[in-house]
Amino acid sequence: WYSSSLPFCTLNAAADHDLPELLVLPQNRSVRLLKWSGILAGVALLGTLGALMFLASQPGWAILLLVVLAAWVIAYWIHLTETLRLDRQGFEYRIGPRTWRCAWAECQTFEVRAGARDRVVIRFMKPRPVFNLMGSGISRDEALLTSFELKASRLVDLMNRFRERALSDGAASAQN
């Protein structure tokens, strides 16, 4: 399953048998469009300014602008690659070159943190490495940057359903 079919499927709480084996959620389309617009605007503006400065015999400033342009494009690209994969074993969160994998049994709860942008907060059973691009740390909870193609409350419900299915599968296999 890929999220392009997500709005048309019946992800309701009564139909856990309808959960797919694998669900891949890319970043929200409108967010991707906004970020691509930012990249293109940055390239156009800084590229034009850099070319004008180079033509005005100020190559030092032109090089500085090109470095800023490259940093701008890299920063936006990193966030354009954000995806979330849900499967029977757990979930995988990817942003830029980094990927984090977490088993459902390691998660205690999924909650919505209200704010200017609602975020999905994952509370872990015990401290674990955080989803951080710039460094490392240990925490008992983590917030995803986006809720992908869904509202944060809907993503929390979906992740809870995947977790409940995995834990009930584990309990059933332990009894056999």
Short mmCIF file of all heavy atoms in Angstrom, two decimals, residues 43-105:
data_model
loop_
_atom_site.label_atom_id
_atom_site.label_comp_id
_atom_site.label_asym_id
_atom_site.label_seq_id
_atom_site.Cartn_x
_atom_site.Cartn_y
_atom_site.Cartn_z
N VAL A 43 16.64 29.05 -5.52
CA VAL A 43 17.57 28.88 -6.65
C VAL A 43 17.47 30.08 -7.58
O VAL A 43 18.49 30.64 -8.01
CB VAL A 43 17.26 27.57 -7.40
CG1 VAL A 43 17.97 27.52 -8.74
CG2 VAL A 43 17.64 26.37 -6.55
N ALA A 44 16.26 30.51 -7.89
CA ALA A 44 16.09 31.64 -8.80
C ALA A 44 16.67 32.92 -8.21
O ALA A 44 17.43 33.63 -8.88
CB ALA A 44 14.60 31.83 -9.11
N LEU A 45 16.34 33.21 -6.96
CA LEU A 45 16.80 34.46 -6.34
C LEU A 45 18.30 34.46 -6.12
O LEU A 45 19.01 35.37 -6.57
CB LEU A 45 16.08 34.65 -5.00
CG LEU A 45 16.51 35.87 -4.20
CD1 LEU A 45 16.11 37.15 -4.93
CD2 LEU A 45 15.92 35.83 -2.81
N LEU A 46 18.81 33.45 -5.44
CA LEU A 46 20.23 33.44 -5.12
C LEU A 46 21.07 33.19 -6.37
O LEU A 46 22.17 33.73 -6.50
CB LEU A 46 20.52 32.41 -4.04
CG LEU A 46 19.90 32.72 -2.68
CD1 LEU A 46 20.17 31.59 -1.70
CD2 LEU A 46 20.40 34.04 -2.13
N GLY A 47 20.58 32.38 -7.29
CA GLY A 47 21.32 32.16 -8.54
C GLY A 47 21.43 33.44 -9.35
O GLY A 47 22.50 33.76 -9.89
N THR A 48 20.34 34.19 -9.43
CA THR A 48 20.37 35.46 -10.16
C THR A 48 21.29 36.46 -9.48
O THR A 48 22.11 37.12 -10.15
CB THR A 48 18.94 36.05 -10.26
OG1 THR A 48 18.10 35.09 -10.90
CG2 THR A 48 18.92 37.35 -11.03
N LEU A 49 21.18 36.57 -8.17
CA LEU A 49 22.07 37.49 -7.44
C LEU A 49 23.53 37.09 -7.59
O LEU A 49 24.41 37.94 -7.77
CB LEU A 49 21.69 37.54 -5.96
CG LEU A 49 20.41 38.29 -5.62
CD1 LEU A 49 20.09 38.13 -4.14
CD2 LEU A 49 20.54 39.77 -5.97
N GLY A 50 23.80 35.79 -7.51
CA GLY A 50 25.17 35.32 -7.68
C GLY A 50 25.72 35.63 -9.06
O GLY A 50 26.87 36.07 -9.20
N ALA A 51 24.89 35.41 -10.09
CA ALA A 51 25.34 35.72 -11.45
C ALA A 51 25.59 37.21 -11.62
O ALA A 51 26.58 37.62 -12.25
CB ALA A 51 24.30 35.23 -12.46
N LEU A 52 24.71 38.04 -11.08
CA LEU A 52 24.90 39.49 -11.17
C LEU A 52 26.16 39.94 -10.45
O LEU A 52 26.90 40.81 -10.95
CB LEU A 52 23.68 40.24 -10.62
CG LEU A 52 22.40 40.14 -11.45
CD1 LEU A 52 21.23 40.78 -10.71
CD2 LEU A 52 22.61 40.80 -12.81
N MET A 53 26.42 39.38 -9.29
CA MET A 53 27.64 39.74 -8.55
C MET A 53 28.88 39.26 -9.28
O MET A 53 29.89 39.95 -9.29
CB MET A 53 27.59 39.19 -7.13
CG MET A 53 26.62 39.93 -6.25
SD MET A 53 26.76 39.32 -4.59
CE MET A 53 25.68 40.51 -3.79
N PHE A 54 28.80 38.08 -9.87
CA PHE A 54 29.96 37.59 -10.62
C PHE A 54 30.23 38.50 -11.81
O PHE A 54 31.37 38.84 -12.09
CB PHE A 54 29.70 36.15 -11.08
CG PHE A 54 30.92 35.49 -11.63
CD1 PHE A 54 31.90 35.02 -10.78
CD2 PHE A 54 31.11 35.36 -13.01
CE1 PHE A 54 33.04 34.42 -11.28
CE2 PHE A 54 32.24 34.76 -13.52
CZ PHE A 54 33.21 34.29 -12.64
N LEU A 55 29.17 38.93 -12.50
CA LEU A 55 29.32 39.83 -13.64
C LEU A 55 29.80 41.21 -13.20
O LEU A 55 30.45 41.92 -13.97
CB LEU A 55 28.01 39.95 -14.41
CG LEU A 55 27.57 38.68 -15.14
CD1 LEU A 55 26.18 38.86 -15.73
CD2 LEU A 55 28.57 38.30 -16.21
N ALA A 56 29.51 41.59 -11.97
CA ALA A 56 29.94 42.90 -11.44
C ALA A 56 31.34 42.79 -10.83
O ALA A 56 31.76 43.68 -10.09
CB ALA A 56 28.95 43.40 -10.41
N SER A 57 32.04 41.72 -11.13
CA SER A 57 33.42 41.52 -10.66
C SER A 57 33.52 41.41 -9.14
O SER A 57 34.45 41.94 -8.53
CB SER A 57 34.34 42.63 -11.18
OG SER A 57 34.37 42.63 -12.58
N GLN A 58 32.59 40.74 -8.54
CA GLN A 58 32.65 40.47 -7.11
C GLN A 58 32.46 38.98 -6.88
O GLN A 58 31.46 38.54 -6.31
CB GLN A 58 31.58 41.27 -6.38
CG GLN A 58 31.79 42.77 -6.53
CD GLN A 58 31.02 43.55 -5.49
OE1 GLN A 58 30.45 42.99 -4.57
NE2 GLN A 58 31.05 44.84 -5.62
N PRO A 59 33.44 38.19 -7.34
CA PRO A 59 33.27 36.73 -7.26
C PRO A 59 33.19 36.19 -5.84
O PRO A 59 32.59 35.15 -5.60
CB PRO A 59 34.49 36.18 -8.00
CG PRO A 59 35.48 37.29 -7.98
CD PRO A 59 34.71 38.56 -7.94
N GLY A 60 33.76 36.89 -4.86
CA GLY A 60 33.70 36.42 -3.47
C GLY A 60 32.27 36.36 -2.98
O GLY A 60 31.84 35.38 -2.36
N TRP A 61 31.50 37.40 -3.26
CA TRP A 61 30.10 37.42 -2.86
C TRP A 61 29.28 36.39 -3.65
O TRP A 61 28.37 35.78 -3.12
CB TRP A 61 29.50 38.82 -3.05
CG TRP A 61 29.95 39.77 -1.99
CD1 TRP A 61 30.85 40.77 -2.11
CD2 TRP A 61 29.52 39.78 -0.62
NE1 TRP A 61 31.03 41.42 -0.93
CE2 TRP A 61 30.22 40.83 0.01
CE3 TRP A 61 28.65 39.02 0.12
CZ2 TRP A 61 30.06 41.12 1.36
CZ3 TRP A 61 28.47 39.31 1.46
CH2 TRP A 61 29.17 40.35 2.07
N ALA A 62 29.66 36.22 -4.91
CA ALA A 62 28.95 35.24 -5.74
C ALA A 62 29.16 33.83 -5.18
O ALA A 62 28.21 33.04 -5.10
CB ALA A 62 29.42 35.33 -7.19
N ILE A 63 30.38 33.52 -4.77
CA ILE A 63 30.67 32.20 -4.19
C ILE A 63 29.91 32.02 -2.88
O ILE A 63 29.33 30.96 -2.62
CB ILE A 63 32.19 32.01 -4.00
CG1 ILE A 63 32.86 31.91 -5.37
CG2 ILE A 63 32.49 30.79 -3.14
CD1 ILE A 63 34.36 31.93 -5.34
N LEU A 64 29.87 33.07 -2.06
CA LEU A 64 29.12 33.00 -0.80
C LEU A 64 27.64 32.72 -1.07
O LEU A 64 27.02 31.88 -0.41
CB LEU A 64 29.28 34.29 0.00
CG LEU A 64 28.48 34.36 1.30
CD1 LEU A 64 28.95 33.30 2.28
CD2 LEU A 64 28.58 35.74 1.91
N LEU A 65 27.07 33.39 -2.05
CA LEU A 65 25.66 33.17 -2.37
C LEU A 65 25.43 31.75 -2.90
O LEU A 65 24.40 31.13 -2.60
CB LEU A 65 25.17 34.19 -3.39
CG LEU A 65 24.82 35.56 -2.82
CD1 LEU A 65 24.47 36.53 -3.93
CD2 LEU A 65 23.67 35.45 -1.84
N LEU A 66 26.37 31.23 -3.66
CA LEU A 66 26.22 29.87 -4.16
C LEU A 66 26.29 28.84 -3.03
O LEU A 66 25.59 27.83 -3.05
CB LEU A 66 27.26 29.58 -5.24
CG LEU A 66 27.04 30.34 -6.55
CD1 LEU A 66 28.18 30.08 -7.52
CD2 LEU A 66 25.71 29.98 -7.17
N VAL A 67 27.14 29.11 -2.02
CA VAL A 67 27.21 28.23 -0.86
C VAL A 67 25.89 28.27 -0.08
O VAL A 67 25.36 27.24 0.33
CB VAL A 67 28.41 28.61 0.04
CG1 VAL A 67 28.34 27.91 1.40
CG2 VAL A 67 29.71 28.29 -0.66
N VAL A 68 25.35 29.48 0.10
CA VAL A 68 24.05 29.62 0.77
C VAL A 68 22.97 28.89 -0.03
O VAL A 68 22.12 28.20 0.54
CB VAL A 68 23.69 31.10 0.98
CG1 VAL A 68 22.25 31.27 1.43
CG2 VAL A 68 24.65 31.74 1.98
N LEU A 69 23.01 29.02 -1.34
CA LEU A 69 22.04 28.34 -2.20
C LEU A 69 22.14 26.82 -2.04
O LEU A 69 21.13 26.14 -1.91
CB LEU A 69 22.28 28.73 -3.66
CG LEU A 69 21.47 28.00 -4.71
CD1 LEU A 69 20.00 28.31 -4.55
CD2 LEU A 69 21.95 28.38 -6.10
N ALA A 70 23.35 26.30 -2.02
CA ALA A 70 23.53 24.86 -1.86
C ALA A 70 22.99 24.39 -0.50
O ALA A 70 22.31 23.36 -0.41
CB ALA A 70 25.00 24.49 -1.99
N ALA A 71 23.26 25.16 0.55
CA ALA A 71 22.75 24.81 1.88
C ALA A 71 21.22 24.84 1.89
O ALA A 71 20.58 23.97 2.50
CB ALA A 71 23.31 25.76 2.93
N TRP A 72 20.63 25.81 1.23
CA TRP A 72 19.17 25.94 1.16
C TRP A 72 18.56 24.71 0.49
O TRP A 72 17.62 24.12 0.99
CB TRP A 72 18.85 27.20 0.37
CG TRP A 72 17.40 27.53 0.17
CD1 TRP A 72 16.42 26.72 -0.31
CD2 TRP A 72 16.78 28.76 0.43
NE1 TRP A 72 15.24 27.38 -0.38
CE2 TRP A 72 15.43 28.65 0.07
CE3 TRP A 72 17.23 29.98 0.91
CZ2 TRP A 72 14.53 29.69 0.18
CZ3 TRP A 72 16.32 31.02 1.02
CH2 TRP A 72 14.99 30.88 0.67
N VAL A 73 19.14 24.33 -0.64
CA VAL A 73 18.62 23.18 -1.39
C VAL A 73 18.77 21.90 -0.56
O VAL A 73 17.84 21.09 -0.48
CB VAL A 73 19.33 23.05 -2.75
CG1 VAL A 73 19.02 21.72 -3.42
CG2 VAL A 73 18.94 24.21 -3.65
N ILE A 74 19.90 21.70 0.10
CA ILE A 74 20.11 20.50 0.91
C ILE A 74 19.13 20.45 2.07
O ILE A 74 18.54 19.41 2.35
CB ILE A 74 21.57 20.43 1.40
CG1 ILE A 74 22.49 20.12 0.21
CG2 ILE A 74 21.73 19.39 2.50
CD1 ILE A 74 23.96 20.26 0.51
N ALA A 75 18.93 21.58 2.74
CA ALA A 75 18.00 21.61 3.88
C ALA A 75 16.58 21.25 3.44
O ALA A 75 15.89 20.49 4.12
CB ALA A 75 18.02 22.99 4.54
N TYR A 76 16.15 21.79 2.32
CA TYR A 76 14.81 21.46 1.84
C TYR A 76 14.73 20.03 1.33
O TYR A 76 13.73 19.35 1.54
CB TYR A 76 14.38 22.45 0.74
CG TYR A 76 13.66 23.65 1.29
CD1 TYR A 76 14.35 24.71 1.83
CD2 TYR A 76 12.28 23.70 1.28
CE1 TYR A 76 13.68 25.81 2.34
CE2 TYR A 76 11.60 24.79 1.78
CZ TYR A 76 12.31 25.84 2.31
OH TYR A 76 11.65 26.91 2.83
N TRP A 77 15.77 19.54 0.67
CA TRP A 77 15.76 18.17 0.17
C TRP A 77 15.61 17.18 1.31
O TRP A 77 14.87 16.20 1.21
CB TRP A 77 17.03 17.86 -0.61
CG TRP A 77 17.13 16.39 -0.91
CD1 TRP A 77 16.52 15.70 -1.91
CD2 TRP A 77 17.86 15.42 -0.16
NE1 TRP A 77 16.82 14.37 -1.83
CE2 TRP A 77 17.64 14.17 -0.77
CE3 TRP A 77 18.68 15.48 0.96
CZ2 TRP A 77 18.22 13.00 -0.29
CZ3 TRP A 77 19.24 14.31 1.43
CH2 TRP A 77 19.01 13.10 0.80
N ILE A 78 16.32 17.42 2.42
CA ILE A 78 16.25 16.51 3.56
C ILE A 78 14.81 16.33 4.00
O ILE A 78 14.35 15.22 4.23
CB ILE A 78 17.14 17.03 4.71
CG1 ILE A 78 18.60 16.76 4.38
CG2 ILE A 78 16.76 16.38 6.03
CD1 ILE A 78 19.58 17.38 5.34
N HIS A 79 14.07 17.42 4.09
CA HIS A 79 12.69 17.32 4.55
C HIS A 79 11.74 16.80 3.48
O HIS A 79 10.65 16.32 3.79
CB HIS A 79 12.21 18.65 5.11
CG HIS A 79 12.87 18.96 6.41
ND1 HIS A 79 12.46 18.39 7.58
CD2 HIS A 79 13.92 19.75 6.73
CE1 HIS A 79 13.22 18.81 8.57
NE2 HIS A 79 14.11 19.63 8.08
N LEU A 80 12.12 16.85 2.22
CA LEU A 80 11.28 16.30 1.16
C LEU A 80 11.30 14.78 1.14
O LEU A 80 10.43 14.15 0.57
CB LEU A 80 11.73 16.82 -0.21
CG LEU A 80 11.32 18.25 -0.52
CD1 LEU A 80 12.04 18.74 -1.77
CD2 LEU A 80 9.82 18.36 -0.70
N THR A 81 12.29 14.19 1.77
CA THR A 81 12.42 12.73 1.75
C THR A 81 11.76 12.06 2.94
O THR A 81 11.89 10.86 3.12
CB THR A 81 13.91 12.33 1.73
OG1 THR A 81 14.52 12.82 2.93
CG2 THR A 81 14.61 12.88 0.52
N GLU A 82 11.03 12.80 3.76
CA GLU A 82 10.44 12.24 4.97
C GLU A 82 9.35 11.22 4.64
O GLU A 82 8.43 11.50 3.88
CB GLU A 82 9.85 13.38 5.80
CG GLU A 82 9.35 12.97 7.14
CD GLU A 82 8.84 14.14 7.93
OE1 GLU A 82 8.51 15.19 7.35
OE2 GLU A 82 8.76 13.99 9.15
N THR A 83 9.48 10.01 5.20
CA THR A 83 8.47 8.96 5.01
C THR A 83 8.29 8.19 6.32
O THR A 83 9.16 8.17 7.18
CB THR A 83 8.86 7.95 3.91
OG1 THR A 83 10.12 7.38 4.23
CG2 THR A 83 8.90 8.59 2.55
N LEU A 84 7.15 7.53 6.42
CA LEU A 84 6.84 6.68 7.56
C LEU A 84 6.31 5.37 7.01
O LEU A 84 5.37 5.36 6.22
CB LEU A 84 5.79 7.35 8.46
CG LEU A 84 5.37 6.57 9.70
CD1 LEU A 84 6.53 6.46 10.69
CD2 LEU A 84 4.18 7.27 10.36
N ARG A 85 6.93 4.25 7.41
CA ARG A 85 6.49 2.91 6.99
C ARG A 85 5.94 2.19 8.21
O ARG A 85 6.60 2.11 9.23
CB ARG A 85 7.67 2.09 6.47
CG ARG A 85 8.22 2.51 5.15
CD ARG A 85 9.46 1.68 4.83
NE ARG A 85 9.25 0.26 5.04
CZ ARG A 85 9.25 -0.65 4.08
NH1 ARG A 85 9.50 -0.29 2.86
NH2 ARG A 85 9.03 -1.92 4.34
N LEU A 86 4.74 1.67 8.08
CA LEU A 86 4.11 0.89 9.15
C LEU A 86 3.96 -0.55 8.66
O LEU A 86 3.48 -0.78 7.55
CB LEU A 86 2.73 1.45 9.48
CG LEU A 86 2.64 2.95 9.76
CD1 LEU A 86 1.19 3.37 9.91
CD2 LEU A 86 3.42 3.32 10.98
N ASP A 87 4.37 -1.51 9.48
CA ASP A 87 4.19 -2.92 9.14
C ASP A 87 3.89 -3.71 10.41
O ASP A 87 3.73 -3.13 11.48
CB ASP A 87 5.38 -3.48 8.36
CG ASP A 87 6.69 -3.40 9.13
OD1 ASP A 87 6.67 -3.48 10.37
OD2 ASP A 87 7.74 -3.26 8.49
N ARG A 88 3.82 -5.02 10.29
CA ARG A 88 3.45 -5.86 11.45
C ARG A 88 4.49 -5.82 12.56
O ARG A 88 4.15 -5.98 13.74
CB ARG A 88 3.23 -7.30 11.02
CG ARG A 88 1.90 -7.51 10.37
CD ARG A 88 1.62 -9.01 10.22
NE ARG A 88 0.32 -9.23 9.63
CZ ARG A 88 -0.80 -9.36 10.33
NH1 ARG A 88 -0.78 -9.27 11.63
NH2 ARG A 88 -1.95 -9.55 9.72
N GLN A 89 5.75 -5.62 12.24
CA GLN A 89 6.80 -5.65 13.24
C GLN A 89 6.96 -4.30 13.96
O GLN A 89 7.32 -4.25 15.12
CB GLN A 89 8.15 -6.03 12.62
CG GLN A 89 8.25 -7.48 12.23
CD GLN A 89 7.45 -7.79 10.97
OE1 GLN A 89 7.41 -7.00 10.04
NE2 GLN A 89 6.79 -8.93 10.96
N GLY A 90 6.72 -3.20 13.26
CA GLY A 90 6.93 -1.89 13.85
C GLY A 90 6.81 -0.80 12.81
O GLY A 90 6.15 -0.97 11.79
N PHE A 91 7.46 0.31 13.07
CA PHE A 91 7.44 1.40 12.10
C PHE A 91 8.86 1.87 11.83
O PHE A 91 9.77 1.66 12.63
CB PHE A 91 6.55 2.55 12.57
CG PHE A 91 7.06 3.30 13.77
CD1 PHE A 91 7.85 4.43 13.62
CD2 PHE A 91 6.74 2.87 15.04
CE1 PHE A 91 8.32 5.12 14.72
CE2 PHE A 91 7.19 3.56 16.15
CZ PHE A 91 7.99 4.69 15.99
N GLU A 92 9.02 2.49 10.67
CA GLU A 92 10.30 3.03 10.25
C GLU A 92 10.08 4.47 9.83
O GLU A 92 9.23 4.75 9.00
CB GLU A 92 10.83 2.20 9.09
CG GLU A 92 12.17 2.63 8.57
CD GLU A 92 12.63 1.73 7.44
OE1 GLU A 92 13.07 0.60 7.74
OE2 GLU A 92 12.51 2.16 6.29
N TYR A 93 10.83 5.38 10.44
CA TYR A 93 10.72 6.80 10.15
C TYR A 93 12.00 7.22 9.43
O TYR A 93 13.09 6.96 9.91
CB TYR A 93 10.53 7.58 11.45
CG TYR A 93 10.44 9.07 11.28
CD1 TYR A 93 9.41 9.65 10.57
CD2 TYR A 93 11.38 9.91 11.85
CE1 TYR A 93 9.31 11.01 10.42
CE2 TYR A 93 11.29 11.28 11.72
CZ TYR A 93 10.26 11.83 11.00
OH TYR A 93 10.17 13.19 10.86
N ARG A 94 11.85 7.85 8.27
CA ARG A 94 13.01 8.27 7.48
C ARG A 94 12.90 9.75 7.18
O ARG A 94 11.85 10.24 6.75
CB ARG A 94 13.07 7.51 6.17
CG ARG A 94 14.24 7.94 5.31
CD ARG A 94 14.34 7.07 4.07
NE ARG A 94 15.51 7.46 3.32
CZ ARG A 94 15.46 8.20 2.22
NH1 ARG A 94 14.30 8.59 1.73
NH2 ARG A 94 16.56 8.53 1.59
N ILE A 95 13.99 10.45 7.42
CA ILE A 95 14.09 11.85 7.03
C ILE A 95 15.52 12.08 6.56
O ILE A 95 16.47 11.79 7.29
CB ILE A 95 13.67 12.82 8.15
CG1 ILE A 95 13.71 14.25 7.66
CG2 ILE A 95 14.46 12.61 9.40
CD1 ILE A 95 13.03 15.24 8.57
N GLY A 96 15.64 12.54 5.33
CA GLY A 96 16.97 12.74 4.75
C GLY A 96 17.71 11.42 4.69
O GLY A 96 17.14 10.39 4.34
N PRO A 97 18.98 11.41 5.08
CA PRO A 97 19.76 10.18 5.00
C PRO A 97 19.60 9.25 6.20
O PRO A 97 20.16 8.17 6.23
CB PRO A 97 21.20 10.70 4.94
CG PRO A 97 21.14 11.98 5.72
CD PRO A 97 19.79 12.57 5.44
N ARG A 98 18.84 9.65 7.22
CA ARG A 98 18.72 8.87 8.45
C ARG A 98 17.41 8.09 8.50
O ARG A 98 16.37 8.57 8.08
CB ARG A 98 18.78 9.79 9.68
CG ARG A 98 19.98 10.70 9.73
CD ARG A 98 21.16 10.31 10.58
NE ARG A 98 20.97 9.58 11.77
CZ ARG A 98 21.14 10.06 12.99
NH1 ARG A 98 21.43 11.33 13.17
NH2 ARG A 98 21.01 9.29 14.03
N THR A 99 17.48 6.88 9.05
CA THR A 99 16.31 6.03 9.21
C THR A 99 16.32 5.47 10.63
O THR A 99 17.35 5.04 11.12
CB THR A 99 16.35 4.86 8.20
OG1 THR A 99 16.37 5.40 6.89
CG2 THR A 99 15.14 3.97 8.35
N TRP A 100 15.15 5.50 11.27
CA TRP A 100 14.97 4.93 12.60
C TRP A 100 13.91 3.85 12.52
O TRP A 100 12.87 4.04 11.92
CB TRP A 100 14.53 5.99 13.61
CG TRP A 100 15.55 7.03 13.87
CD1 TRP A 100 16.49 7.03 14.87
CD2 TRP A 100 15.75 8.24 13.15
NE1 TRP A 100 17.24 8.17 14.81
CE2 TRP A 100 16.82 8.93 13.74
CE3 TRP A 100 15.14 8.82 12.04
CZ2 TRP A 100 17.27 10.15 13.29
CZ3 TRP A 100 15.59 10.03 11.57
CH2 TRP A 100 16.65 10.68 12.20
N ARG A 101 14.17 2.74 13.16
CA ARG A 101 13.23 1.62 13.19
C ARG A 101 12.84 1.37 14.64
O ARG A 101 13.68 1.42 15.53
CB ARG A 101 13.89 0.37 12.60
CG ARG A 101 13.02 -0.85 12.62
CD ARG A 101 12.34 -1.04 11.30
NE ARG A 101 11.45 -2.20 11.41
CZ ARG A 101 10.23 -2.21 10.92
NH1 ARG A 101 9.76 -1.19 10.26
NH2 ARG A 101 9.48 -3.26 11.06
N CYS A 102 11.56 1.13 14.88
CA CYS A 102 11.08 0.88 16.24
C CYS A 102 10.03 -0.23 16.19
O CYS A 102 9.11 -0.18 15.38
CB CYS A 102 10.47 2.17 16.81
SG CYS A 102 9.94 1.99 18.52
N ALA A 103 10.17 -1.22 17.06
CA ALA A 103 9.18 -2.30 17.15
C ALA A 103 7.97 -1.79 17.92
O ALA A 103 8.10 -0.94 18.80
CB ALA A 103 9.79 -3.50 17.87
N TRP A 104 6.80 -2.32 17.58
CA TRP A 104 5.58 -1.90 18.26
C TRP A 104 5.65 -2.18 19.75
O TRP A 104 5.11 -1.42 20.57
CB TRP A 104 4.36 -2.59 17.66
CG TRP A 104 4.08 -2.21 16.24
CD1 TRP A 104 4.08 -3.05 15.16
CD2 TRP A 104 3.77 -0.92 15.73
NE1 TRP A 104 3.80 -2.34 14.01
CE2 TRP A 104 3.60 -1.02 14.34
CE3 TRP A 104 3.63 0.35 16.31
CZ2 TRP A 104 3.29 0.04 13.52
CZ3 TRP A 104 3.32 1.43 15.50
CH2 TRP A 104 3.15 1.27 14.12
N ALA A 105 6.31 -3.26 20.14
CA ALA A 105 6.41 -3.62 21.56
C ALA A 105 7.23 -2.60 22.36
O ALA A 105 7.12 -2.54 23.57
CB ALA A 105 7.02 -5.01 21.70
#
